[in-house]
Amino acid sequence: MDSEIVENLISFGLTRQEAAIYLELLRHGDLTGYELSKETCISRSNVYTSLAGLAEKGAVCLIEGEATKYTPLPMKDFINNTLALLKEKGDYLIEHVPAKVEQSTGYITIQGDKNIRNKIRQMISESKLRLYFMAPSAIISSYTDELKKLAKEGKKIVILSDNFELEGAIIYKTEVEANQIRLITDSAYVLTGELTGDEHDTCLYSGQKNLVAVMKEALKNKITLLGMYTKAN
């Protein structure tokens, strides 16, 4: 449990050592640097370095007295403050970002579960007219909110999956190869490959017309076969 909390705290800008010390303070309350060193088995010099970092990031405050102690900010407050600051910085970056260059239409390899999932989310959010998505329901369900938003906007959504439902979408139930994904947006961009949750996962992303046309034709043929099978049964 602690290791998962530490990993998530790292996502909020803490180092692994800072996260461990912050967690210890949350568990025990106000402590001196010496006490923290004993509890965490981290050297006192490293403890004080981490406490300085935690104070700068707004996770702890100092309590002056005979012995200086450190008190943790409640995690909810730390998270909310960090998110608010990130939003402020994010808004600034969006406003001052350089003019957008034309998106590459070459063949781009995207590696790693996190990067692939982010690319899927981006492609869905940027869809202007239509979207074709074939993948196991375990993968597609991760994007239910984004797909619902597209459906409410009246965008065409075609989904081929083993067990997924979405109001406003055209659904074709079919067996899908485990971990395989095929995503086409606006008949202009395609993402295809494998998503297992591993850092070595790879997908090919492209705006090449020939590849998009081939992928779209393959999906159309599968849809036609599914329609024929449904009528026959």
Side-chain angles (χ1 to χ4, degrees):
M1 177 68 75
D2 280 6
S3 61
E4 291 184 17
I5 294 175
V6 167
E7 291 298 329
N8 281 283
L9 282 170
I10 290 172
S11 300
F12 282 83
L14 303 187
T15 67
R16 187 173 301 280
Q17 200 160 261
E18 288 171 350
I21 290 172
Y22 177 53
L23 190 57
E24 203 65 32
L25 283 168
L26 289 170
R27 180 179 289 116
H28 294 286
D30 307 343
L31 294 173
T32 65
Y34 172 73
E35 291 169 333
L36 277 166
S37 180
K38 287 183 63 177
E39 291 290 342
T40 60
C41 296
I42 299 172
S43 70
R44 289 177 68 179
S45 61
N46 286 339
V47 164
Y48 284 114
T49 298
S50 294
L51 286 169
L54 287 167
E56 184 179 345
K57 296 167 185 176
V60 304
C61 296
L62 279 68
I63 303 175
E64 298 293 350
E66 290 185 11
T68 300
K69 290 192 173 186
Y70 298 83
T71 186
L73 195 72
M75 187 176 288
K76 182 178 180 181
D77 293 339
F78 168 67
I79 289 173
N80 287 338
N81 291 344
T82 303
L83 290 174
L85 181 61
L86 284 173
K87 185 179 186 308
E88 180 182 325
K89 291 181 179 295
D91 290 343
Y92 174 86
L93 290 172
I94 290 171
E95 184 178 347
H96 295 87
V97 70
K100 182 179 179 181
V101 298
E102 287 298 317
Q103 192 169 176
S104 172
T105 57
Y107 298 97
I108 301 172
T109 298
I110 301 176
Q111 184 168 346
D113 175 81
K114 181 179 178 181
N115 293 330
I116 294 170
R117 289 183 181 277
N118 286 340
K119 190 63 180 179
I120 293 173
R121 185 167 285 106
Q122 177 196 346
M123 289 178 69
I124 294 174
S125 66
E126 292 181 353
S127 296
K128 296 180 175 62
L129 299 172
R130 63 186 68 86
L131 174 150
Y132 293 82
F133 199 174
M134 183 172 76
S137 58
I139 293 176
I140 296 181
S141 59
S142 301
Y143 304 95
T144 300
D145 290 343
E146 290 86 348
L147 292 169
K148 281 183 178 179
K149 183 179 178 183
L150 282 189
K152 287 181 180 179
E153 293 172 354
K155 311 288 176 61
K156 181 180 179 181
I157 301 172
V158 179
I159 292 175
L160 294 83
S161 188
D162 51 330
N163 185 27
F164 184 79
E165 298 292 340
L166 179 70
E167 185 176 351
I170 302 170
I171 306 290
Y172 293 94
K173 289 194 175 183
T174 181
E175 291 299 319
V176 182
E177 288 184 57
N179 309 315
Q180 294 296 310
I181 61 172
R182 305 286 186 273
L183 176 60
I184 303 173
T185 57
D186 297 326
S187 299
Y189 299 101
V190 62
L191 181 73
T192 178
E194 188 176 48
L195 189 61
T196 68
D198 189 270
E199 62 180 15
H200 300 297
D201 289 345
T202 59
C203 277
L204 178 67
Y205 170 78
S206 180
Q208 285 287 331
K209 292 182 179 179
N210 290 341
L211 178 61
V212 174
V214 168
M215 292 295 300
K216 191 173 180 181
E217 188 65 25
L219 286 182
K220 282 186 174 180
N221 289 340
K222 188 170 184 65
I223 289 170
T224 300
L225 290 173
L226 288 170
M228 292 171 61
Y229 177 80
T230 301
K231 287 181 180 179
N233 290 272

